[in-house]
């Protein structure tokens, strides 16, 4: 269920958080247009903060604004999912190449996110936000800002893919927690082979959970 953010937040932030949650919960194979007037009424704000929120969402790749039509949210096809996961595999496995020099505090940070995910297991949107943060931190640990920016550009698609996967009846969230733990354990043991295997196994499991083949 989509919940409004606290009233204490600014109107653009309220509109942004509501729309981001709404988009993340959309079926990934569907497209839709978001209308400013409808969004203003639904979020309890006005057109100006909605417009500001849409500009922010567009910059982050969540929507594409089309004149006289609204904000377009494109579908994510099965080939899109495969391509995204392949790109993630390349980037994430490259990022852990430097695990020999990875500080224990960095690995502790990864563990901390897993602990937060465990607490958010019943909240798909929050769970996947933390999932994205977990993998983003791993990529940033590689120390290449260009690859980190590229990885960040996949964020909105990862959210839509992930939320649907953990919202189904199966215990995908539990699987993710176990798979993330294997990645962290491999990093802590400083085993590059084990880290690569854990990353590939996790992404393969994600593919099967999302598209089923």
């Amino acid at each position: 269920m989509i919940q409004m953010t606290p009233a204490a937040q600014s109107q653009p932030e309220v509109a942004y958080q509501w729309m981001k949650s709404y988009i993340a919960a959309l079926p990934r194979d569907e497209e839709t247009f978001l209308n400013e007037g409808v969004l203003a009424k639904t979020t309890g704000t006005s057109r100006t903060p909605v417009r500001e929120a849409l500009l922010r969402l567009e910059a982050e790749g969540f929507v594409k604004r089309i004149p006289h039509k609204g904000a377009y949210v494109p579908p994510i096809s099965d080939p899109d999912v495969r391509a995204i996961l392949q790109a993630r595999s390349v980037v994430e496995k490259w990022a852990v190449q430097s695990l020999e020099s990875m500080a224990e505090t960095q690995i502790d940070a990864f563990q901390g996110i897993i602990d937060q995910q465990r607490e958010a297991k019943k909240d798909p949107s929050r769970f996947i936000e933390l999932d994205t943060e977990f993998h983003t931190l791993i990529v940033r640990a590689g120390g290449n800002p260009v690859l980190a920016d590229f990885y960040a550009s996949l964020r909105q698609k990862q959210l839509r893919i992930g939320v649907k996967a953990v919202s189904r009846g199966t215990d995908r969230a539990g699987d993710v927690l176990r798979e993330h733990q294997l990645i962290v354990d491999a990093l802590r043991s400083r085993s590059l082979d084990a880290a690569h295997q854990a990353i590939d196994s996790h992404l393969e499991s994600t593919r099967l959970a999302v598209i089923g083949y």
Side-chain angles (χ1 to χ4, degrees):
M1 179 182 295
I2 298 172
Q3 298 180 344
M4 294 294 291
T5 49
Q9 291 184 322
S10 68
Q11 287 199 339
E13 184 66 21
V14 167
Y16 169 81
Q17 293 294 342
W18 189 94
M19 283 186 276
K20 188 174 71 170
S21 295
Y22 176 79
I23 292 168
L26 287 173
R28 67 172 177 84
D29 56 350
E30 292 185 11
E31 61 182 4
T32 191
F33 280 93
L34 303 178
N35 177 274
E36 287 185 6
V38 173
L39 288 170
K41 183 177 180 180
T42 304
T43 60
T45 60
S46 63
R47 284 179 178 267
T48 297
V50 163
R51 196 169 295 119
E52 290 180 29
L54 286 173
L55 286 171
R56 182 176 169 187
L57 289 165
E58 184 176 35
E60 295 175 351
F62 281 86
V63 301
K64 180 179 180 180
R65 300 180 75 203
I66 299 178
H68 312 301
K69 288 190 176 182
Y72 176 62
V73 181
I76 302 173
S77 66
D78 286 359
D80 288 336
V81 172
R82 288 178 175 275
I84 290 166
L85 294 177
Q86 287 169 357
R88 286 183 55 185
S89 176
V90 171
V91 174
E92 291 182 33
K93 287 197 292 184
W94 177 88
V96 299
Q97 296 278 63
S98 61
L99 66 83
E100 285 295 333
S101 60
M102 193 176 290
E104 283 292 326
T105 53
Q106 287 180 299
I107 299 175
D108 290 342
F110 305 149
Q111 185 65 57
I113 295 176
I114 294 176
D115 295 340
Q116 290 180 62
Q117 279 191 291
R118 191 170 290 109
E119 295 296 320
K121 192 176 176 183
K122 294 184 179 180
D123 182 347
S125 294
R126 176 58 179 160
F127 186 90
I128 295 302
E129 282 276 8
L130 288 165
D131 180 274
T132 303
E133 183 178 344
F134 175 83
H135 290 280
T136 298
L137 278 182
I138 289 176
V139 172
R140 287 177 179 166
N144 186 317
V146 175
L147 284 180
D149 286 346
F150 165 73
Y151 194 87
S153 73
L154 302 175
R155 179 170 176 264
Q156 63 89 10
K157 292 181 179 179
Q158 292 187 61
L159 286 174
R160 281 182 73 188
I161 291 169
V163 168
K164 282 301 174 185
V166 300
S167 297
R168 293 173 178 171
T170 58
D171 186 23
R172 177 57 190 157
D175 291 340
V176 169
L177 287 170
R178 288 186 286 273
E179 292 160 12
H180 281 185
Q181 190 63 60
L182 288 173
I183 293 172
V184 171
D185 290 347
L187 294 176
R188 203 176 290 281
S189 69
R190 310 293 173 169
S191 172
L192 184 58
D193 287 343
H196 282 183
Q197 182 177 357
I199 289 169
D200 277 339
S201 178
H202 174 50
L203 295 177
E204 173 72 4
S205 179
T206 300
R207 180 182 62 79
L208 291 174
V210 174
I211 62 179
Y213 62 91

